[in-house]
Amino acid sequence: MINAQRALGHETGVVAWGMVPTPFDCDGRLDAPSLRRIVRHLLDNGCDGLIALGVIAEPLTLTAAEKSEILETIESVAGGVPVVASVLALESGSFGTEFATLTAKARRSVSAVMIPVTASSAEGVRASVATAHEAAGVPVIVQDLPRFSGVEISPHHLAAALNESPECIAVKCEAMPTYERIEYLDRNTRVELISGFGGLGVVDDVIAGASAVAIGTTATREVATAIRLALVGRYHEAAAVVGRAATRIHYETQTGPNIAIRKHHWMQAGIIETDVVRPPTRRFEPALRKHAALYSCIVAGPDPDASGLGP
């Protein structure tokens, strides 16, 4: 297996990628101070890499100028950890224009670009990867998330595309069942496999062959701890750590107001100022407060036990 972490130039290895949301103020404008705080929060709670402008960041509601400012702000706080820029255009011809806009003000080059699967054929995926790499000049991560893209590809065709795309170093695996998909790709490709879906299935995904996780829920510390335990074979301990956050992860990852719910939890913890989202993202409705009350003291709670595992 290719060591994607070293390909990204991060010698200690990226185990936990933090998915960065986009905080807004009460008027729906970009809230840069809250953005800086959430980035520091992710890094302080076990993330050693950051993914900007993913689905959780509400990218379809952002202007080109806002995307560029967000990426620049994230890089200014990142302190040298790898930053991946998501380009979620579903037309591969848009990759170059969007990436150029994103990095126009960036202080340094991003470590990689993440693109969605945009075709159900090996040839189509291979072409998308080549286009993204040519436009960005950096390694490519593919996000296999049919729920977002509407595109499903068989594991056989995806593996064929990856094996003919040396520019692609990793796949964010979010086509279900993830553990079967990951096991197939682990046996038939040489790319890094990243677990997703908020970390709820991270232990099964690691057993299947994943070696990193992308965390978009507020259970950052728990999931970051769990993957480090799982990667050294401490599966039961890892499962117990995830179990303590499982109801919160489940609540935050269902289709619907999931982004607003996560923002509300981060707001309760004092990390961002508001739980405002932009349409068509569903807002946090008053009826959800009775659920959120359960987690009001948990988001910034004590660290799970992970002796000797490092940050």
Side-chain angles (χ1 to χ4, degrees):
M1 178 183 294
I2 293 174
N3 189 320
Q5 294 95 340
R6 294 190 186 281
L8 291 175
H10 191 48
E11 290 299 317
T12 60
V14 176
V15 171
W17 292 97
M19 304 293 298
V20 184
T22 303
F24 300 116
D25 65 18
C26 292
D27 297 318
R29 295 172 300 200
L30 179 63
D31 181 355
S34 287
L35 178 58
R36 287 190 285 269
R37 286 197 299 273
I38 191 69
V39 171
R40 284 193 292 267
H41 173 78
L42 294 173
L43 296 174
D44 290 345
N45 281 272
C47 295
D48 49 0
L50 299 165
I51 298 178
L53 301 170
V55 175
I56 191 178
E58 304 172 67
L60 300 183
T61 75
L62 300 170
T63 66
E66 286 173 329
K67 290 178 180 180
S68 182
E69 182 180 352
I70 287 166
L71 185 58
E72 183 182 20
T73 300
I74 290 171
E75 289 192 331
S76 73
V77 181
V81 307
V83 175
V84 170
S86 295
V87 177
L88 295 182
L90 296 179
E91 297 293 335
S92 61
S94 302
F95 292 155
T97 301
E98 184 164 347
F99 190 82
T101 300
L102 286 181
T103 57
K105 294 183 179 180
R107 298 183 180 183
R108 61 179 177 84
S109 297
V110 297
S111 300
V113 59
M114 186 167 74
I115 63 170
V117 169
T118 58
S120 58
S121 67
E123 294 78 10
V125 173
R126 187 166 60 245
S128 293
V129 170
T131 298
H133 176 69
E134 182 178 359
V138 294
V140 177
I141 296 173
V142 169
Q143 182 174 22
D144 185 15
L145 179 57
R147 189 171 74 184
F148 169 78
S149 66
V151 177
E152 297 192 15
I153 184 172
S154 72
H156 171 75
H157 288 152
L158 181 57
L162 298 173
N163 287 332
E164 296 180 12
S165 302
E167 310 92 346
C168 182
I169 58 169
V171 178
K172 188 166 180 268
C173 302
E174 295 177 299
M176 296 185 286
T178 57
Y179 44 84
E180 288 185 355
R181 192 87 154 183
I182 289 169
E183 184 175 14
Y184 182 89
L185 294 175
D186 186 51
R187 285 188 285 107
N188 292 283
T189 74
R190 293 173 53 82
V191 299
E192 192 84 13
L193 303 172
I194 304 171
S195 178
F197 283 138
L200 193 59
V202 67
V203 180
D204 292 302
D205 287 350
V206 169
I207 291 172
S211 58
V213 65
I215 311 170
T217 63
T218 66
T220 308
R221 171 59 65 177
E222 291 88 345
V223 175
T225 298
I227 191 169
R228 289 182 168 90
L229 288 166
L231 287 173
V232 295
R234 294 162 64 177
Y235 301 129
H236 289 88
E237 295 169 76
V241 171
V242 173
R244 290 197 287 272
T247 55
R248 177 160 39 114
I249 298 172
H250 174 71
Y251 178 49
E252 292 182 350
T253 54
Q254 295 186 73
T255 302
N258 55 83
I259 294 175
I261 290 170
R262 299 177 215 191
K263 283 188 169 184
H264 187 79
H265 290 167
W266 276 312
M267 182 185 71
Q268 286 181 306
I271 299 164
I272 62 176
E273 289 296 324
T274 78
D275 58 15
V276 171
V277 296
R278 287 180 178 173
T281 307
R282 285 182 55 184
R283 66 179 184 174
F284 189 88
E285 300 288 352
L288 297 171
R289 295 186 187 281
K290 60 186 177 182
H291 300 279
L294 176 63
Y295 309 111
S296 61
C297 298
I298 298 178
V299 177
D303 294 347
D305 179 27
S307 302
L309 289 177

